[in-house]
């Protein structure tokens, strides 16, 4: 008999009841149990950042945390950023600056970039690159990713969003 438990996760403002095994990662809970496939499974070892989501506003690699460890926390995925048809300013900036090519890493990049703004690590392009270094882009869109983040940074060079 498989040992399962029922947990409630608050994802994108909605409480979801899940019957899962205690060892299920948050990434697998989001993708396989809830059906939110925007969060990507890259390396499944916390090295690439493709699975980055926001938990209580902090960026977390969802492949490295168990779903059960996040009961009572606010989980925000790429699907929860837009307000209806209005994109989050970071999403709009990524589109404007073509900050993605294949798009696989983009959800994690955007979630990480939003947390970066909150953390205040946007004083220079070098600082942005350093603090975004946990999110890899195999296509090499880093210059455009930095430009998108600068676009949304309050008082940044291109702040207009």
């Amino acid at each position: 008999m498989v040992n399962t438990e029922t947990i409630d996760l608050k994802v994108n403002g909605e409480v979801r009841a899940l019957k899962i095994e205690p060892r299920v990662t948050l990434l697998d809970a989001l993708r396989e149990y809830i059906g939110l496939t925007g969060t990507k499974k890259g390396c499944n070892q916390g090295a690439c950042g493709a699975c980055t989501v926001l938990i209580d506003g902090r960026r977390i690699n969802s492949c490295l945390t168990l779903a059960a460890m996040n009961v009572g926390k606010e989980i925000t995925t790429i699907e929860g950023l837009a307000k209806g048809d209005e994109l989050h300013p970071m999403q709009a900036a990524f589109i404007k600056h073509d900050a993605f090519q294949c798009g696989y890493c983009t959800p994690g990049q955007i979630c990480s970039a939003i947390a970066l703004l909150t953390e205040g690590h946007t004083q220079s392009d070098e600082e942005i690159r350093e603090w975004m270094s946990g999110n890899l882009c195999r296509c090499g869109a880093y210059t455009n990713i930095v430009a998108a983040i600068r676009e949304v940074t309050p008082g940044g060079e291109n702040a207009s969003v």
Side-chain angles (χ1 to χ4, degrees):
M1 182 172 171
V2 176
N3 180 27
T4 62
E5 58 185 57
T6 300
I7 63 169
D8 290 334
L9 292 180
K10 188 174 182 185
V11 181
N12 300 328
E14 183 180 331
V15 176
R16 308 281 189 115
L18 305 176
K19 187 172 183 175
I20 60 173
E21 293 180 51
R23 64 184 177 159
V24 171
T25 65
L26 178 58
L27 173 61
D28 288 338
L30 293 170
R31 290 183 59 81
E32 297 173 20
Y33 291 82
I34 299 175
L36 297 174
T37 57
T39 304
K40 302 302 184 210
K41 184 179 280 195
C43 67
N44 211 31
Q45 298 176 349
C48 73
C51 67
T52 303
V53 297
L54 302 173
I55 299 178
D56 292 337
R58 295 184 59 220
R59 50 184 155 170
I60 301 292
N61 289 338
S62 61
C63 72
L64 294 181
T65 185
L66 299 175
M69 294 171 62
N70 294 285
V71 171
K73 298 178 181 177
E74 179 64 45
I75 301 161
T76 306
T77 69
I78 191 73
E79 292 93 346
L81 296 177
K83 303 288 187 230
D85 289 337
E86 182 182 339
L87 294 177
H88 184 282
M90 190 64 72
Q91 291 172 305
F94 264 64
I95 292 169
K96 177 181 175 182
H97 290 277
D98 196 24
F100 52 88
Q101 287 180 24
C102 79
Y104 196 82
C105 72
T106 305
Q109 295 275 3
I110 290 173
C111 286
S112 193
I114 290 169
L116 183 81
L117 291 174
T118 304
E119 296 162 4
H121 298 298
T122 57
Q123 300 305 308
S124 68
D125 289 357
E126 293 75 27
E127 184 177 37
I128 291 170
R129 281 194 280 282
E130 175 67 25
W131 285 90
M132 288 293 292
S133 65
N135 291 83
L136 303 179
C137 174
R138 292 184 64 174
C139 301
Y142 296 111
T143 302
N144 298 3
I145 291 168
V146 171
I149 294 169
R150 298 297 286 161
E151 171 92 14
V152 182
T153 300
E157 299 170 11
N158 303 314
S160 65
V161 176

